[in-house]
């Protein structure tokens, strides 16, 4: 079999006609398919409904005896902190139970750093002139949107299968005090599904930033989101940081958005004691407390970290066929053509697809014209600009398996058309 | 009966000895009583437990067909907005369902104004040099704490039974562009229980602030919190503002913290369309959505605004005896002595007590020494400084009626001791 580059001009034109015919046939169907957002489907959500069926009278008192329906226990009930400490390998003293959305927590920590500063920072970020933030890319569009909204200059750091290019991270962070931090999704990264290697995590721990108020925003969003029995281990950044005396550089985040209910789950943050000493009084000004009834709901339902892991295995059983349908279809229709490559994650919520350089936006448009909504090309890069116009984020968790088959086949066809167009043009 | 001022020196000494004997007897009991926080007791919370007993499967779909367990509907489900629009006399298009805590919402709107600015503001507040904020006092300590944390100069505006001194508000707001806003609890004010008169509300609507980014933080925390059948009406500030073209000056807040569960209820904000056009995209960067399951819980349980009003009548039945016990005890032990005055609110959560000038801190200390915790004297003023050292906030909602009787009697004794000490000293 010949790759597209190897085809003669005549063969290429024939291939193009064949692809166009397939494409037109799909368009005639008037499809409306959506693969834009990383969200669970109803079946996955149903798995947590028993949590809501618990007798509310069993949830009223924390083990300390606090009536969780009332004000108090600002940083969360102990048993919730303990549950997430066990699950994530953290110390419960370092955890704050922070509402329902870890994204909102990150936004909150960032805007407070701007107005009030962080522990040991000489000044609030906002009083230090233009700010910069490191953005491993492809990455999470909503991270980038936050730093963009706050007017920070976003510096793209290329991602590798082992994590961000740490030589570059080190170079920027250690030379420029205007660089205030970095976005990280260290396990099953969005969108690649890469997990940072132990060396990468250690390099983060070893970082000696030029800014005394530099913070690693460690968004462990997919901490226990395995797709297979094999569990991918992420090195313990706090443990490694202790060795280097850099624990204060880390703001750690996680949530149950993809464990129980997005928006109605629990979000946590973890930080060093010195950071928390600065954060707690600020939090005490901001609110009188988060939803502790919901904390107790999660605690009493899951009971232990293993309870959550068991639940995640059931979710994996639902998600695996979806990921595999996409991967198999891409494999069946694209392998040998040399027009695309993609990741095969062992967990998380996304697949990262690279099409021919300069073709991602074209693939997006082609798909849209057939009624298939994809995450916009470029979304995985700061400012929405993919310098190679090559990356597309695939979000297979929401559509049904049969739909994913249709979407993936159409996607393959669009990828080939875009590639064929490119080579046809280059050939002319 | 003579007032303390009218007593002879000898009579005063005798009275002092009598008070001291009573005080010592109370101290011997080793009491631990707390009247510090405005929070509901367990009986009041129990009244909302049926809301949590609803079948969760009945809560899943909003009337639009949205699965509320999933991402989406950032500003809240329509039926929740409609419920609060009906309850508060707002338009549902102007409402954002904003999580569980209206205090957190206010903090959030304030910090965003600092970093990002507000609609029609030429610059973010934080880029405009020193900022000032108007603080009607006695007022809510947590409001003042927010403006203090953000380094704003707080300007005390005296409260009257009709609301803040509007001549002074007008003078500051209309002359100084550094004045960025004002804190208001317009109905059953914290701590007096005063409701702003229609003239006061209209004066707010008529305000033409010097700053183009001035905002009235209208914290309608006790909107439906009547203690008696008679309903105190607060004039509609948005309606009046329309007349003056000043709708954009208003940020309106409310919550169910004292309707259902503090921290596990619903918080709302309301603002003009132009404000919301500026706020919504910012909110979309901050979070993917608040807890919509909890919104549906409230909607399906209360069904209508009248459902909430009926619920509030039941709560009033629990709260009224508490307020009346405090008021009756103060009346029985203090009337005729001319050493204190206090409000008799028809709703809300607090009673405002004024003791002899220069005596509030002494009363607080005396009470503490007998084992009675009161809200610290000064807390109701900016920077915790009551210029007259006279005001004490009474929070009668949490302790039991019998406890309130004990507390109030002790409080009366402490008030008399402090007054007697003062006149004894003045007399020497």
């Amino acid at each position: 079999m010949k790759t597209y580059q190897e085809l003669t001009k005549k063969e290429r034109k024939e291939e193009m006609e064949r692809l166009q015919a397939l494409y037109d046939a799909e368009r005639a169907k008037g499809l409306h398919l959506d693969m834009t957002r990383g969200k669970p489907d109803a079946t996955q959500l149903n798995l947590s409904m028993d949590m809501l069926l618990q007798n509310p009278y069993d949830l009223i008192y924390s083990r300390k005896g606090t009536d969780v329906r009332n004000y108090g226990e600002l940083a969360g009930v102990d048993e919730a902190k303990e549950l997430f400490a066990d699950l994530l390998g953290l110390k419960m003293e370092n955890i704050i139970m922070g509402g329902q959305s870890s994204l909102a927590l990150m936004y909150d920590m960032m805007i407070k750093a701007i107005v009030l500063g962080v522990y040991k920072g000489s000044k609030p970020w906002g009083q230090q002139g233009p700010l910069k933030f490191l953005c491993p890319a492809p990455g999470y569009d909503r991270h980038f949107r936050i730093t963009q909204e706050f007017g920070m200059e976003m510096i793209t750091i290329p991602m590798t299968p082992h994590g961000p290019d740490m030589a570059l991270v080190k170079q920027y962070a250690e030379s420029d005090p205007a660089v205030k931090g970095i976005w990280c999704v260290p396990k099953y990264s969005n969108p690649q599904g890469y997990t940072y290697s132990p060396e990468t995590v250690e390099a983060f721990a070893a970082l000696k930033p030029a800014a005394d108020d530099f913070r690693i925003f460690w968004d462990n969003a997919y901490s226990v989101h395995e797709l297979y029995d094999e569990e991918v281990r992420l090195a313990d950044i706090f443990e490694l940081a202790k060795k280097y005396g850099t624990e204060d550089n880390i703001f750690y985040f996680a949530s149950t958005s993809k464990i129980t209910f997005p928006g109605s789950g629990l979000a946590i943050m973890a930080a060093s004691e010195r950071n928390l000493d600065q954060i707690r009084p600020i939090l005490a000004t901001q609110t009188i407390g988060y939803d502790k009834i919901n904390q107790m709901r999660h605690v009493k339902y899951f009971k232990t970290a293993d309870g959550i892991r068991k639940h995640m295995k059931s979710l994996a059983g639902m998600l695996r066929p979806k990921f595999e349908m996409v991967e198999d279809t891409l494999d069946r229709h694209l392998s040998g053509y040399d027009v695309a490559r993609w990741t095969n994650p062992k967990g998380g919520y996304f697949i990262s697809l690279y099409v021919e350089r300069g073709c991602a936006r074209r693939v997006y448009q082609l798909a849209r014209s057939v009624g298939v909504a994809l995450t916009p090309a470029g979304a995985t890069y700061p400012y929405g600009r993919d310098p190679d116009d090559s990356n597309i984020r695939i979000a297979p968790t929401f559509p049904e398996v049969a739909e994913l088959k249709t979407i993936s086949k159409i996607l393959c066809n669009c990828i080939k058309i875009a590639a064929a167009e490119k080579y046809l043009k280059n050939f002319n």
Side-chain angles (χ1 to χ4, degrees), chain A residues 360-428:
Chain A
R361 274 182 300 175
R362 178 65 180 145
V363 169
Y364 170 82
Q365 287 159 354
L366 283 166
R368 201 173 55 169
S369 301
V370 207
V372 172
L374 301 173
T375 304
T380 53
Y381 283 81
Y383 308 105
R385 288 196 302 263
D386 174 357
D388 292 334
D389 186 25
S390 164
N391 187 247
I392 289 172
R393 183 179 82 164
I394 295 184
T397 61
F398 187 72
E400 289 172 17
V401 174
E403 268 179 16
L404 283 167
K405 188 174 180 178
T406 309
I407 292 172
S408 303
K409 278 169 70 177
I410 291 172
L411 178 59
C412 290
N413 200 31
C414 295
I415 291 169
K416 286 178 180 169
I417 292 176
E421 284 174 349
K422 176 179 166 183
Y423 287 114
L424 219 50
K425 208 165 16 177
N426 290 353
F427 200 84
N428 287 342

Side-chain angles (χ1 to χ4, degrees), chain A residues 153-424:
Chain A
E153 183 191 332
M154 295 188 279
I155 298 168
T156 298
I157 304 290
M159 273 292 287
T160 79
H162 308 292
D165 177 337
M166 289 309 293
L168 214 53
V169 169
K170 192 176 155 73
Q171 183 189 311
Y172 280 112
E174 299 193 347
S175 68
D176 185 353
V179 173
K180 289 300 171 205
I182 181 167
W183 290 116
C184 294
V185 182
K187 186 166 171 183
Y188 299 136
S189 62
N190 175 350
Q192 305 89 346
Y194 293 151
T195 297
Y196 292 11
S197 70
E199 293 72 25
T200 299
V201 179
E202 180 145 10
F204 271 110
L207 218 53
K208 302 279 182 202
D212 58 4
D213 50 5
F214 179 97
R215 288 296 180 272
I216 299 161
F217 278 61
W218 197 254
D219 181 5
N220 202 1
Y222 307 105
S223 55
V224 291
H225 300 59
E226 322 292 337
L227 285 170
Y228 296 89
D229 283 342
E230 145 199 29
E231 198 179 312
V232 173
R233 300 271 305 172
L234 172 69
D236 181 341
I237 189 166
F238 279 116
E239 190 59 36
L240 289 164
K242 203 186 285 176
K243 193 166 118 185
Y244 295 95
T246 57
E247 296 123 298
D248 300 331
N249 294 350
I250 306 152
F251 283 168
Y252 183 116
F253 303 91
S255 84
T256 68
S257 292
K258 277 110 183 182
I259 296 176
T260 58
F261 302 113
S264 303
L266 300 180
I268 72 147
M269 84 162 283
S272 70
E273 279 157 50
R274 283 181 293 263
N275 274 317
L276 289 185
D277 283 346
Q278 189 251 358
I279 292 166
R280 277 198 204 95
I282 293 175
L283 201 61
T285 301
Q286 181 177 17
T287 186
I288 311 186
Y290 295 105
D291 188 344
K292 297 186 296 296
I293 299 178
N294 207 30
Q295 291 172 26
M296 291 301 287
R297 256 184 217 118
H298 283 73
V299 166
K300 295 267 177 174
Y301 180 63
F302 288 120
K303 293 186 178 69
T304 62
D306 276 342
I308 296 182
R309 285 197 196 90
K310 203 179 142 211
H311 176 86
M312 295 312 288
K313 277 198 199 307
S314 305
L315 278 180
M318 298 170 174
L319 292 171
R320 214 162 39 232
K322 297 189 171 200
F323 277 78
E324 290 179 350
M325 173 54 78
V326 173
E327 292 165 9
D328 292 352
T329 308
L330 293 177
D331 208 40
R332 184 167 320 122
H333 293 274
L334 296 182
S335 86
Y337 287 96
D338 197 21
V339 290
R341 61 192 171 83
W342 56 93
T343 58
N344 292 282
K346 297 276 175 282
Y349 247 57
F350 301 101
I351 294 167
S352 186
L353 169 72
Y354 290 89
V355 299
E356 284 281 332
R357 210 183 163 95
C359 289
R361 274 182 300 175
R362 178 65 180 145
V363 169
Y364 170 82
Q365 287 159 354
L366 283 166
R368 201 173 55 169
S369 301
V370 207
V372 172
L374 301 173
T375 304
T380 53
Y381 283 81
Y383 308 105
R385 288 196 302 263
D386 174 357
D388 292 334
D389 186 25
S390 164
N391 187 247
I392 289 172
R393 183 179 82 164
I394 295 184
T397 61
F398 187 72
E400 289 172 17
V401 174
E403 268 179 16
L404 283 167
K405 188 174 180 178
T406 309
I407 292 172
S408 303
K409 278 169 70 177
I410 291 172
L411 178 59
C412 290
N413 200 31
C414 295
I415 291 169
K416 286 178 180 169
I417 292 176
E421 284 174 349
K422 176 179 166 183
Y423 287 114
L424 219 50

Side-chain angles (χ1 to χ4, degrees), chain A residues 64 73 75-86 90-97 268 280 295 299:
Chain A
K64 247 191 208 166
E73 302 263 27
V77 296
D78 284 349
E79 44 268 68
K81 287 190 239 175
E82 194 174 78
L83 178 65
F84 286 95
D86 280 359
L90 300 167
K91 286 190 196 142
M92 64 176 280
E93 314 85 78
N94 295 342
I95 292 181
I96 288 176
M97 303 299 308
I268 72 147
R280 277 198 204 95
Q295 291 172 26
V299 166

